[in-house]
Amino acid sequence: MANEQNIQKIAQEITEGNAILGIEFGSTRIKAVLIDSNHNPIASGAFDWENSLVDGVWTYSLEEIHTGISTAFSEMRSDAKNKYGVTLKKLKALGVSAMMHGYLVFDKNDNQLVPFRTWRNTITGEASKQLSELFNYPIPERWSIAHLYQAILNEEPHVKDAAFFTTLAGYVHWKLTGKKVLGVGDASGMFPVDASTGNYDTKMISAFDSLGKDKNFSWKLTDLLPECLSAGLDAGTLTKEGAAWLDKDGLLEDGVPLAPPEGDAGTGMVATNSVSPRTGNVSAGTSVFAMVVLEKALSASYNGLIDIVATPDGKPAAMAHANNCTGEYDKWIKLFGEAASLMGAEFSKGDLYEKLLSIALNGDKDCGGLIPYNYISGESITGFASGRPLFVRTQNAKFTLANFMRAQLFTALGALRAGMDILFDKEQVKIDRLTGHGGFFKAENVGLPFMASAMHTPVSALSTAGEGGPWGMAILASYRVNGNKQDLALWLQEKVFASAKVKTVEPTAEDVEGFNRFFENYKKGLSVERAAVENLD
């Protein structure tokens, strides 16, 4: 009876337009999550996609973006209909988030000038280096401003025609509302943000403009950048055209308030309740990054290896970002599944992952001398413009399935550890808690202890973290209409996470030492990875 009453209550919320929607564009999946007034996920939909390597550039087409979001929305509506017997036509609020950084550039007539250059590209090394030195501030290769300046250095003809550039979330929000805006967290991955103003750093903008004086461009950088907005502010409403673009069935009503569009770093911080100083989160999926909200500025730029971005309400946060995480072991697990199927075994994908990931717990603490590299793409933090997935072992290494899977999980965190060593060892950054989310943690009994060993610090998971970024974006959309100008961290604690269940894993000294031994071999073997990149096409 109680369950039936709850279904009826949710059905009424959907019918009356009180449900809130968050949509996030991940690197392999676009997911839409609908939440109720208690911030519980009540329906979801998804669309799987993959980036393409076209002419040496990792990209997605605008058509794929549209197909993906409209399909995810349609599946979410069908899920709600199946569960609650009503058709979603109205929303209380909506928010869109996506992979940060990258380069989507348009002319004055809103025509795209070059294909979308995603965060995954490592083609802006010279721009990253020059801008980091110019600003005395880390500008990693992924950042939008690095892409723009690299295009200038390359004398690409499209630059003179640029009228607007943005991130993926900014583009989608623009299609939905007509507004060229970004949440401050996502904006901070385009161009440095001044923590004292919550807006782009004006001194750095002036310095950038001075670089292009001899080019006689018709634009200044402020002409190109989207407006920077803090969480909770008015970011426009869903237009009729935007509603039609999102909903291919044409049922969704326009006029829905939208939250400022955010990056996946910001939604990860929200989804893990990590927006206060000395808190952090680690998002581990196709890529992996760890965020730590800072108490003070870093002492150096570290050649752009550490990002300084912002929480959705503008606090500075350091991010160590690695391009590769679970992608390579996904392929190995698929291969092992094919072998098992060939022998007549029947199993679900979930069971296959659970069995193969869990066997890693039985491996030697240091993986028995096995060293894989998961570099499907380049890895800036360890100095690689491109990658070659690789597996290396000595003749006397302990070559067991348990060690192999443990090594695949450890190497998924290798580049991240290299970045975090900068924060922990060189900057003495202090952290009270680190909360994990993403596909790496699906096998919770494996993901949490392995991450704790790699980070040599306790790692937690929230009961809600399984929904990840799209749920975090839905929470920000709720804050947009329900926040009442309350401090974001306080509002999250009181309204969203007050009763959340938390599981924390403390690393053992033995596990930390085991990862450290693996990591020493990992660093030594980078020369082998470099030789593979240089000699294998």
Side-chain angles (χ1 to χ4, degrees):
M1 184 68 177
N3 186 50
E4 183 177 337
Q5 288 177 342
N6 188 51
I7 290 174
Q8 291 176 350
K9 178 178 178 294
I10 293 173
Q12 184 177 358
E13 285 198 12
I14 294 172
T15 301
E16 294 177 354
N18 288 321
I20 294 173
L21 179 63
I23 302 172
E24 182 156 288
F25 286 74
S27 56
T28 59
R29 170 171 283 197
I30 302 167
K31 189 172 182 181
V33 171
L34 193 70
I35 64 172
D36 63 14
S37 56
N38 294 318
H39 302 111
N40 296 313
I42 55 176
S44 65
F47 177 81
D48 292 337
W49 69 343
E50 287 282 353
N51 54 190
S52 302
L53 187 61
V54 180
D55 297 326
V57 173
W58 291 104
T59 188
Y60 302 89
S61 70
L62 300 188
E63 291 75 18
E64 288 176 298
I65 294 168
H66 182 206
T67 298
I69 192 172
S70 59
T71 301
F73 179 86
S74 178
E75 286 198 0
M76 177 277 300
R77 173 186 276 151
S78 295
D79 188 39
K81 175 75 171 180
N82 292 336
K83 289 177 177 176
Y84 311 108
V86 295
T87 300
L88 175 74
K89 296 182 180 179
K90 297 186 289 185
L91 290 166
K92 185 174 183 180
L94 167 64
V96 175
S97 56
M99 302 168 280
M100 291 177 68
H101 317 300
Y103 186 65
L104 277 155
V105 61
F106 302 87
D107 67 15
K108 64 181 181 181
N109 296 316
D110 298 339
N111 297 309
Q112 188 180 23
L113 293 174
V114 293
F116 176 26
R117 298 171 181 177
T118 77
W119 60 270
R120 191 166 212 167
N121 291 287
T122 50
I123 55 177
T124 63
E126 186 60 28
S128 170
K129 179 181 178 181
Q130 288 190 26
L131 292 177
S132 296
E133 291 174 354
L134 176 70
F135 299 154
N136 191 29
Y137 190 95
I139 304 295
E141 295 178 4
R142 298 177 304 279
W143 280 35
S144 306
I145 194 62
H147 280 277
L148 175 61
Y149 189 51
Q150 190 66 53
I152 293 173
L153 292 176
N154 295 344
E155 298 185 345
E156 296 186 38
H158 80 268
V159 176
K160 68 180 186 306
D161 298 319
F164 172 58
F165 78 128
T166 190
T167 64
L168 177 53
Y171 168 75
V172 174
H173 186 92
W174 177 32
K175 293 293 291 186
L176 295 176
T177 66
K179 299 288 187 181
K180 297 176 179 178
V181 302
L182 270 189
V184 62
D186 203 11
S188 69
M190 285 194 75
F191 191 86
V193 165
D194 183 343
S196 66
T197 65
N199 210 329
Y200 302 113
D201 190 296
T202 55
K203 291 182 180 178
M204 294 186 195
I205 285 179
S206 296
F208 182 88
D209 284 335
S210 69
L211 292 176
K213 280 185 177 179
D214 62 330
K215 305 293 184 181
N216 296 317
F217 294 131
S218 61
W219 50 261
K220 298 290 187 183
L221 184 56
T222 51
D223 301 328
L224 305 188
L225 286 165
E227 182 183 357
C228 184
L229 299 175
S230 185
L233 294 182
D234 182 359
T237 58
L238 185 67
T239 63
K240 289 183 179 180
E241 295 80 7
W245 188 77
L246 174 61
D247 178 18
K248 55 190 174 184
D249 295 322
L251 301 177
L252 183 63
E253 294 183 10
D254 61 336
V256 180
L258 266 80
E262 264 301 344
D264 49 1
T267 57
M269 285 187 264
V270 170
T272 55
N273 193 22
S274 304
V275 298
S276 301
R278 294 177 68 103
T279 65
N281 78 94
V282 57
S283 174
T286 304
S287 64
V288 58
F289 54 84
M291 308 284 304
V292 180
V293 185
L294 298 172
E295 296 178 284
K296 61 180 182 178
L298 299 186
S299 63
S301 67
Y302 297 106
N303 296 318
L305 297 180
I306 299 294
D307 297 34
I308 302 298
V309 293
T311 66
D313 58 344
K315 299 183 186 74
M319 176 168 68
H321 182 287
N323 290 344
N324 303 283
C325 185
T326 63
E328 179 65 0
Y329 77 59
D330 283 340
K331 295 184 183 300
W332 279 106
I333 289 174
K334 182 180 179 182
L335 182 70
F336 291 142
E338 289 178 4
S341 295
L342 188 64
M343 298 300 294
E346 295 183 1
F347 48 84
S348 69
K349 181 179 178 181
D351 286 342
L352 177 66
Y353 268 75
E354 183 68 31
K355 292 289 186 183
L356 286 174
L357 294 177
S358 295
I359 193 67
L361 294 169
N362 299 333
D364 294 318
K365 297 298 185 182
D366 62 355
C367 306
L370 308 185
I371 306 293
Y373 292 90
N374 64 333
Y375 289 15
I376 295 174
S377 65
E379 199 60 81
S380 300
I381 209 161
T382 50
F384 288 84
S386 61
R388 300 291 185 273
L390 189 67
F391 173 67
V392 180
R393 67 182 179 91
T394 59
Q395 295 91 329
N396 60 352
K398 298 177 182 178
F399 194 18
T400 66
L401 180 61
N403 278 341
F404 183 85
M405 290 309 304
R406 190 179 186 93
Q408 290 293 335
L409 285 156
F410 273 17
T411 201
L413 307 178
L416 175 68
R417 169 62 181 269
M420 292 303 289
D421 277 352
I422 294 174
L423 296 179
F424 288 141
D425 298 341
K426 295 184 178 180
E427 290 289 335
Q428 302 297 309
V429 168
K430 303 300 181 186
I431 185 168
D432 294 330
R433 57 181 172 86
L434 187 65
T435 305
H437 69 114
F440 186 86
F441 299 99
K442 282 185 178 179
E444 189 178 89
N445 64 319
V446 179
L448 284 177
F450 280 24
M451 185 66 75
S453 299
M455 299 295 100
H456 48 79
T457 193
V459 178
S460 302
L462 294 167
S463 58
T464 52
E467 296 297 338
W471 181 72
M473 192 62 237
I475 298 301
L476 284 172
S478 175
Y479 181 67
R480 160 72 182 87
V481 293
N482 298 317
N484 297 318
K485 298 183 179 180
Q486 188 177 6
D487 175 73
L488 177 61
L490 184 60
W491 183 84
L492 288 173
Q493 186 58 43
E494 292 182 352
K495 303 297 184 182
V496 182
F497 294 102
S499 59
K501 296 178 181 178
V502 182
K503 178 179 180 179
T504 301
V505 171
E506 299 264 358
T508 67
E510 188 179 15
D511 284 338
V512 170
E513 177 56 30
F515 188 92
N516 287 344
R517 290 198 302 271
F518 168 85
F519 189 56
E520 286 303 312
N521 281 335
Y522 175 94
K523 290 186 289 186
K524 292 175 184 176
L526 287 172
S527 59
V528 182
E529 171 67 19
R530 194 168 305 283
V533 170
E534 292 172 352
N535 293 284
L536 296 177
D537 293 330

